[in-house]
Amino acid sequence: MNFLLSNVYQDGRPLCATDVDASQLLAFMPLSWHHAGLFGFIGRTAGMADISITQQHSLSPDAARSAAQKVADKLANEYGLQCKWEGNVLRFDRSGVEGSLALHERQAALRIKLGFLMSAFASTIEQKVAESMRKVFTGP
């Protein structure tokens, strides 16, 4: 991603985002961007955010699948995701979001890739999903 920093010049030419590192780039962004969370994309590849959560469990395979389905149902309701099972992997997606929840013998591994617009909410989504996984795989 390459965008010009308006009214910021170096050597007689406008600076663009690739000319400065992320810490310098924050200084050029309007304060309103910071408050709106629009600076969350900096340092992420091509406007994408990746969330990776691994939750240990001691559940039987059937109980683990049931717990994973609870997480999927919550994600589907909150974020409008379409979900489907492929063996022990639950895949989900919608515009701007794709991911999987893989069940292993003693852990569940969640991977989510957020598109540019959703990446602004990555930390909130990660917190909610991690809490949900903790509750369903280990109890309250």
Side-chain angles (χ1 to χ4, degrees):
M1 179 163 54
N2 193 7
F3 62 92
L4 292 177
L5 302 171
S6 60
N7 300 322
V8 180
Y9 294 87
Q10 180 178 17
D11 300 328
R13 66 178 180 83
L15 279 178
C16 60
T18 56
D19 294 330
V20 294
D21 67 32
S23 62
Q24 294 170 319
L25 189 56
L26 286 174
F28 295 117
M29 291 183 170
L31 188 57
S32 60
W33 287 19
H34 293 271
H35 293 296
L38 296 177
F39 62 89
F41 69 90
I42 295 175
R44 295 197 171 110
T45 306
M48 302 291 277
D50 292 330
I51 296 173
S52 178
I53 301 168
T54 301
Q55 177 64 56
Q56 302 299 318
H57 70 78
S58 58
L59 303 174
S60 69
D62 288 339
R65 189 176 179 101
S66 176
Q69 189 62 54
K70 286 179 186 177
V71 173
D73 291 344
K74 184 169 181 146
L75 288 172
N77 288 333
E78 286 189 34
Y79 301 105
L81 300 173
Q82 301 295 317
C83 304
K84 72 175 183 176
W85 283 99
E86 294 176 2
N88 284 337
V89 178
L90 180 63
R91 302 210 182 275
F92 52 87
D93 66 348
R94 66 159 260 194
S95 178
V97 179
E98 64 180 51
S100 63
L101 176 56
L103 297 178
H104 304 288
E105 187 175 336
R106 294 289 170 226
Q107 69 180 14
L110 180 74
R111 306 287 179 262
I112 303 173
K113 185 174 287 267
L114 300 173
F116 177 74
L117 294 176
M118 293 294 287
S119 68
F121 306 102
S123 62
T124 302
I125 292 169
E126 185 171 15
Q127 288 174 335
K128 285 184 174 184
V129 173
E131 180 64 18
S132 179
M133 285 184 64
R134 186 192 61 75
K135 285 180 181 176
V136 300
F137 283 103
T138 62

